[in-house]
Amino acid sequence: MGLLSDPSLSTHNKLVDSLAKHVRKVCYTFYAAGVVWFFCLALPEFNHGTYLSENALSPGLVYPEIRIDANRLTVQLLEELQRERKDHTATTPYAWITAKFNEFGLETHTHNYTLRYPFGGGKEYHGKNVYGILRAPRIGSTEGIVFSAPYRAPSSVHPDISPSVPLLLAFAEFARRKNYWAKDLIFLVTEQEQLGMQAWLEAYHDGDREVDPTKAYLFPGNLPARAGSLQAALNIEVQDLDIDYIDVKIEGLNGKLPNLDMFNLVQRIMAREGISSGYKQTPRKARRSTFSTFEQNLRHIIAMLTTQSSGVPNGNHGLFHRYRIDALTIAAMKRTTHSNIKTSPNSVAIPLLKAIEGIARSLNNLLERFHQSFFFYVIVHNDRYISIGDYMPALVALVACAFIKAYLTWSTLDTESSGAPEINDSDTSDKLPLPYGSVLIFLTAALLIGYLGNVLPLQQYFQEIPMSAAPLTASLLTTLMLIGFVLPFFVVLPPGGLELLHIGLLLIYGCALIVVGLLNFALGFFVAVISVPLVIALNTNAPDTPESSSVGLRALIRVYTLLLNPLVIIYGIVLIMTFYQFPELGLQQLLLRAAIAAMDAVTFALIDSVIYGNWLYFAVCTVFLPIWIICWTLALARRRDPEEDEDDEDPQVKLKTN
Amino acid sequence: MDLRCYKLLILGGAVRLYFSRTPLAGLISNRVEFATPLNSYKRMQEGVYLLQHGIDPYGGDLVHETPLLLRAMSTIFTSYPEFLPLLYILLDLSTAALLHLMSSNFVQQKLQQQRSELKNYAKDTGELQYTEDDKYDIAELVLIAYLFNPLTVMNCIGLTSTVFSNLILALLLYSLMKRQLLFCLVLLSFETVRSLYPAVLIAPLLLIFARRSICAGVSIFTLFVACCMAMAGANFLVMNSWNFLDGTLGFIFHFRDLQPNIGLFWYFFTEMFEHFRTMFLITFQLNATVLYLVPLAVKLRKEPLLLATVLIALMAVFRAYPSLGDVGFYLSLLPLWRRCWKYMSHGFVVFAFFLITLVMMGALWHLWIYAGSANANFYFGATLAFSTGQIFLITDLLFAHVKHEFCLYNGQKIIINGEEARILLE
């Protein structure tokens, strides 16, 4: 083990010294390698075909039993519901749904919840979910599966998905007549999009918990009946009974995904029923593209990572993941293409009902929770995936840059400080003492600024200011950001401090990226791709040393640092999105509208973090903002006193003569 | 101890007191990295309760603390539980103070030894020798390293019984420096009956007190065994049954609780076929105790304290239920070897290793236990890397010591045939 038992007496390692001279080149090589690896993932050689690992899932694949009468029931229920919707334009027809559940012989309950909106002087919203439990004849309610359908009132801004409820009811009616259920089936109709689902889940899992009314925002209440530990959940969003294709949504809260087996199961069953289905499926016309396989795969990967990176679930299924329940949404889209091919109204709902039956029977047969297949994957194509072992190297290569640079910078620092007296052989007290204390205080200050961004907007005295939520949050954050911006102009670190701060930054940055990347690969990877070049380019050498960067490069680094400010990035993303959504706007209007939208986005992120437990806001405030402040300090590289620069320079010249 | 040290102690106490009042304390006392089946606060509480109600605490599989300590803590656990954090903080501060006294004593002895050997040293080795200032500097560094190491701080606020182990070890090292044989033996036997592995520390004891006389060595060892038996007897008097031996030492040796921790045992023993268990148990326990004992004792016979440091460190890596509190303790002993630091080339790598793996442990534990998406392999990977980092550190320290010794007598710059000399290990 030459690594451990280095026989050389001196601590100077020649390899390290020569590498240290080319630290940037080494790091950029790693960066390029990481990015290239990521692009390679789209090649068919780098990804694998999907397969079902869990044998217990096969029964649902065999022989569907649902018959034509279920279709009749669905159509009839849909007509009844449409009549109900005329009377309830802004609310859910609870009475009708409850009556139907009762009619089919389910154990029916309602669930009330209250939201205390964090902003706007404690306004309260109330909501109500309806659910029915089909008790399994074979087990004592120890395990359950959830089938949920969100209900949208006619006044909702989102697309109408009312056929989901009749479909759910028809399936419930079919399921009640079967005796093979080994898990309780819960049929759940939620309202107010994700809020209702979140409240129901919270009530299901911690309904008996005391809620502190001053700190909590969502009061989920308690449930009158439960069905044991939930094993899996299927959320249905059906726009029309006559479906064109099915989009399977899997991305959950904080970028979590359901087990790959569940996705595969849905794909298999949909294929059996002859329904066109897939991940990020598009209408047939748009699907016929001229892209090569590579380009298509790459678009697919990037689209998936983009959805994941915000951490916001793209359907009600995403909230289940937080409770360790594998869930996904099947979103059935209305037929828009080939609208002349009408399916016969006598069997219009049959394929979808058969698919739901198959999924239910497979899930019913599960002996354990999903554990066989992958939880960390990227879907390349409907039947191809990349596992964590294959995509992680891309991120590791990017993060490695930070640590390599930290090590090499540290080892040159070492030679600067301890090498000098050795050559002078005068007195040992001449060493450059590294100001650990002041650097630590600076780091703490930066962290504190970030942490304040996390807690301040929710403080009582700020909420009493007569301002609406979005400008308030945005102005608080901007203030904190400005404090961070001017911090390096007032606080100048003692000599050696910048170098030490640089190393500290590299270590913290690396660790932060590792953790973020483990919890949400997409976010970690995107942040790494845009920020690693800056971190590599940062240079703390004094301006007149030979190793320092030129003035132009220095200015470039500063501009890039400013561009990478979290708030600027958020604004940039919103601006681009606004541009694509409203291409007709003039520049000034566009900028203004994007600014308003960005303020809203920040506020929504904050609300997401307090109600749903999305940690994106927390991560940006508490981790990325402090890191940016340190980056900015290093990019400015202000030194206390010019004499020190000469002192700094000496050892480096000597280092060169070594 | 001067004023500055008192200030540091007060500051250290304040930091601990502050954090013990934040929600962090509850979190830490439930983290597997700090609280193992041996040292967790909850289990101690359980043991005290059972003992007071006349139920044998070792009948179940929860309590693994010695009866003596349970009895000693029973009053404060039941009557004044609100003062418990304060007690633990005071104990931790006394550990720090003892380490401080021990290190200034150690430097004092080093200086004496240096004076007698000065003529043998090579010329340009001034920076390799201990100086008068070191008496204060090193002692203060040790103090700071113990007081403000996040690992020891969190260990203290998590109220683990590693606080007691650390105190006893610090007391042992202190009395070792003060040459109090009997006191050493009592402490060592107490700690051995509690947690088995400190038995190996008899080696530095023998090196210091027996001074190469076999006769004295044998008698000290006999005395130690007698002390251990007396300690076990004292425990027996508390319980009136020998059950506690299986509950403490037997539990450690047989590794009955497979709860994950930062060590290397749990993963192997969950994966292993049952009929190989005995063999691997013996192998692993040998590795944790006597495997390195003889070679290290021979190599470091002139440096008993370094031997003790290295043994404590190896114990923290290889023991059955290690916790980060143990790691924090031996890390704070490193400043004693400040004069060897020049030759420690992996310091930064080890630091980065520790940082990354500790951060990863948190994330991977979350993914495994709460999110359910990762699994045991991920977490074990992080702990394995952490252990590797520790081994790096220990090896580095040993090599640095060897090089330091060599250079002290032969000079720092040795040129042979115009090239820099290299040490060959043969």
Side-chain angles (χ1 to χ4, degrees), chain A residues 143-145 183 229-233 325-326 366 368-370:
Chain A
E143 289 180 344
I145 310 173
K183 294 177 172 59
S229 119
L230 302 180
Q231 304 292 305
I325 303 162
D326 292 281
L366 272 183
E368 306 172 60
R369 275 173 197 276
F370 280 104

Side-chain angles (χ1 to χ4, degrees), chain B residues 66-330:
Chain B
T66 49
L68 272 180
L69 204 62
L70 287 182
R71 175 64 76 203
M73 297 301 289
S74 65
T75 326
I76 188 158
F77 259 81
T78 48
S79 311
Y80 311 103
E82 65 274 15
F83 290 113
L84 263 179
L86 215 59
L87 173 76
Y88 276 75
I89 290 168
L90 283 179
L91 292 178
D92 220 28
L93 292 186
S94 16
T95 309
L98 279 170
L99 285 179
H100 178 264
L101 293 175
M102 184 274 291
S103 22
S104 65
N105 219 307
F106 165 75
V107 178
Q108 186 79 41
Q109 286 176 23
K110 268 281 167 197
L111 283 173
Q112 274 175 11
Q113 184 196 347
Q114 231 166 245
R115 242 169 264 142
S116 60
E117 291 178 358
L118 194 58
K119 56 184 179 299
N120 298 335
Y121 290 165
K123 273 194 186 114
D124 60 342
T125 56
E127 60 165 324
L128 297 182
Q129 297 168 15
Y130 286 86
T131 61
E132 281 294 330
D133 287 343
D134 279 350
K135 220 165 33 179
Y136 308 104
D137 290 354
I138 288 184
E140 198 180 295
L141 275 178
V142 169
L143 190 67
I144 291 173
Y146 191 80
L147 282 179
F148 301 106
N149 186 339
L151 298 183
T152 52
V153 172
M154 290 205 252
N155 180 48
C156 179
I157 63 167
L159 304 181
T160 65
S161 59
T162 306
V163 172
F164 294 101
S165 308
N166 287 351
L167 178 65
I168 291 166
L169 284 180
L171 209 55
L172 175 71
L173 293 179
Y174 179 68
S175 40
L176 207 62
M177 283 297 108
K178 286 283 187 188
R179 305 285 188 266
Q180 304 279 342
L181 174 61
L182 206 63
F183 204 44
C184 280
L185 286 177
V186 171
L187 288 168
L188 190 59
S189 56
F190 181 77
E191 191 53 23
T192 305
V193 173
R194 266 192 77 211
S195 49
L196 182 68
Y197 299 102
V200 294
L201 291 178
I202 189 69
L205 232 75
L206 288 175
L207 286 180
I208 286 189
F209 293 110
R211 293 169 201 265
R212 297 189 200 177
S213 125
I214 294 178
C215 216
V218 171
S219 50
I220 288 176
F221 190 76
T222 327
L223 207 58
F224 170 63
V225 174
C227 268
C228 285
M229 287 188 171
M231 209 47 89
N235 279 317
F236 174 75
L237 289 182
V238 175
M239 288 302 301
N240 266 325
S241 98
W242 290 106
N243 266 354
F244 76 90
L245 274 185
D246 189 55
T248 53
L249 296 182
F251 175 76
I252 296 170
F253 183 80
H254 290 291
F255 194 67
R256 296 205 187 102
D257 196 325
L258 292 173
Q259 186 194 51
N261 56 37
I262 57 164
L264 303 167
F265 273 62
W266 65 274
Y267 188 79
F268 284 107
F269 283 89
T270 44
E271 297 286 313
M272 191 176 295
F273 289 118
E274 202 55 35
H275 48 271
F276 288 121
R277 195 178 157 96
T278 321
M279 185 189 98
F280 276 107
L281 205 56
I282 293 171
T283 319
F284 269 65
Q285 297 291 10
L286 279 182
N287 179 47
T289 49
V290 292
L291 188 61
Y292 308 103
L293 185 62
V294 177
L296 283 176
V298 172
K299 181 69 213 168
L300 302 175
R301 58 186 180 279
K302 286 181 191 156
E303 293 281 355
L305 195 62
L306 181 62
L307 178 62
T309 310
V310 171
L311 287 177
I312 290 173
L314 285 173
M315 236 189 301
V317 184
F318 292 121
R319 70 196 303 170
Y321 306 99
S323 81
L324 286 180
D326 302 325
V327 179
F329 181 77
Y330 82 76

Side-chain angles (χ1 to χ4, degrees), chain B residues 336-362:
Chain B
L336 290 176
W337 319 104
R338 191 182 173 191
R339 294 296 153 198
C340 305
W341 280 5
K342 184 168 183 292
Y343 299 105
M344 290 183 69
S345 41
H346 301 307
F348 187 77
V349 177
V350 170
F351 177 71
F353 240 87
F354 275 29
L355 198 68
I356 298 168
T357 50
L358 286 177
V359 163
M360 268 172 77
M361 270 183 218

Side-chain angles (χ1 to χ4, degrees), chain A residues 495-510:
Chain A
L498 276 180
E499 284 75 10
L500 201 62
L501 188 67
H502 189 194
I503 291 163
L505 165 79
L506 291 167
L507 290 179
I508 294 172
Y509 173 79

